[in-house]
């Protein structure tokens, strides 16, 4: 274990022998640091927080602080961070609330650039990238491999489907379908995240099928229910297209981010 003599490690913290902790870092009493975690100088990890193996937390990040919620009364809610994440300077991540599901959760292999914020009760899946100062309100679900541009802000309870993209400065109050690409204030759906799909090696025929499903789902003809039924019938053998369809069906009470008419 490599711990700088100026670091503060409170009694009760569970720290793997392979962990590195830099100068003036602070580790709270209910923190668990797994194998090969690196806590750089001046970072703070507090609360009931577990940090997965090989995750790096950079200077002045504050991880596991209490939620910014007036109903929070000090309950032992948690923050669970997965493996191999890079958490850069001034990032903030808060524990959950009893009004939510009591837990904030971050997956594996994510990158949180300078100043990104993950609020209480959020779920961030694997391989998500949040650029500088991207901000999540409470209770948000971010699907795998989503890219959130710098300075974007996402309203509480929003869902962003897997492989979607939200452009820099976007203000989002609705849900983005998987593979969707949205921009603006308030954000509108501008099409599909074709660049992201190609970068991740998706086959050309799969991309064409997703595009066809997208055109059908957001056509002007018929009702949304009818379009969903037609798309389900036509694309039932394309798992990626069905990801979009099932996302749209999953929560009928949530408004969708739509193309501009």
């Amino acid at each position: 274990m490599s711990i700088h003599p100026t670091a503060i490690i409170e009694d009760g913290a569970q720290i793997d022998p392979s962990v590195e902790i830099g100068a003036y870092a602070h580790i709270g009493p209910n923190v668990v640091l797994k194998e090969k975690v690196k806590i750089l100088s001046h970072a703070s990890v507090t609360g009931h927080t577990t940090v997965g193996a090989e995750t790096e937390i950079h200077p002045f990040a504050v991880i596991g602080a209490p939620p910014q919620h007036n109903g929070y009364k000090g309950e032992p809610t948690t923050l669970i961070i997965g493996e191999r994440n890079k958490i850069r300077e001034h990032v903030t991540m808060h524990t959950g609330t009893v009004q939510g599901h009591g837990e904030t959760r971050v997956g594996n292999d994510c990158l949180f650039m300078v100043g990104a914020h993950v609020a209480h009760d959020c779920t961030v899946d694997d391989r998500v990238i949040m650029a500088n100062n991207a901000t999540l309100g409470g209770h948000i679900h971010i699907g795998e491999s989503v890219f959130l541009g710098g300075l974007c802000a996402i309203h509480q309870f929003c869902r962003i489907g897997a492989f979607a993209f939200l452009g820099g400065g976007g203000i989002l109050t609705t849900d983005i379908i998987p593979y969707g690409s949205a921009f603006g204030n308030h954000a509108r759906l501008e099409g599909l995240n074709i660049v992201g799909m190609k970068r991740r090696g998706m086959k050309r025929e799969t991309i064409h099928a997703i595009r066809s499903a997208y055109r059908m789902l957001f056509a002007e003809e018929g009702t949304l229910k009818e379009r969903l039924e037609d798309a389900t019938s036509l694309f039932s053998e394309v798992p990626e297209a069905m990801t979009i369809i099932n996302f749209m069906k999953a929560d009928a009470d949530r408004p969708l981010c739509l193309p501009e008419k």
Side-chain angles (χ1 to χ4, degrees), residues 47-49 75-80 94-97 101-105 121:
H48 289 76
T49 298
E75 299 90 351
T77 54
T78 61
L79 167 64
I80 309 296
H94 292 167
T95 59
T97 65
H101 49 265
E103 178 182 280
T104 304
R105 182 172 286 271
D121 302 292

Side-chain angles (χ1 to χ4, degrees), residues 11 96 106 139 164 186 191 209 249 252:
D11 291 343
V106 171
H139 312 277
H186 286 14
K249 289 179 177 179

Side-chain angles (χ1 to χ4, degrees), residues 132-186:
N132 295 42
N133 297 298
T135 298
L136 304 184
H139 312 277
I140 289 169
H141 186 185
I142 306 295
E144 66 172 302
S145 300
V146 165
F147 186 98
L148 302 177
L151 298 168
C152 70
I154 303 172
H155 191 271
Q156 62 189 24
F157 294 102
C158 282
R159 300 177 301 149
I160 298 184
F163 298 92
F165 176 92
L166 177 60
I171 307 298
L172 183 70
T173 61
T174 52
D175 294 353
I176 301 178
I177 60 168
Y179 307 103
S181 183
F183 296 85
N185 178 14
H186 286 14

Side-chain angles (χ1 to χ4, degrees), residues 1-32:
M1 189 182 300
S2 174
I3 299 179
H4 194 277
T6 62
I8 298 173
I9 314 296
E10 297 197 41
D11 291 343
Q14 300 177 45
I15 302 174
D16 186 86
S18 60
V19 167
E20 297 179 24
I21 301 176
Y24 300 102
H26 172 234
I27 309 299
N30 299 303
V31 170
V32 178

Side-chain angles (χ1 to χ4, degrees), residues 159-242:
R159 300 177 301 149
I160 298 184
F163 298 92
F165 176 92
L166 177 60
I171 307 298
L172 183 70
T173 61
T174 52
D175 294 353
I176 301 178
I177 60 168
Y179 307 103
S181 183
F183 296 85
N185 178 14
H186 286 14
R188 306 294 295 183
L189 195 62
E190 299 288 345
L192 292 167
N193 184 16
I194 302 296
V195 172
M197 288 189 273
K198 288 180 177 178
R199 284 177 178 172
R200 290 170 176 84
M202 188 172 287
K203 294 180 180 178
R204 181 189 296 268
E205 55 267 28
T206 302
I207 294 174
H208 286 325
I210 293 171
R211 294 176 88 165
S212 298
Y214 176 88
R215 294 189 188 101
M216 176 175 288
L217 289 166
F218 294 101
E220 295 186 6
E221 297 80 13
T223 65
L224 177 58
K225 181 179 178 181
E226 291 169 342
R227 296 195 301 270
L228 282 167
E229 290 174 352
D230 291 343
T232 300
S233 176
L234 283 173
F235 298 100
S236 60
E237 302 300 319
V238 183
E240 294 82 2
M242 289 305 301

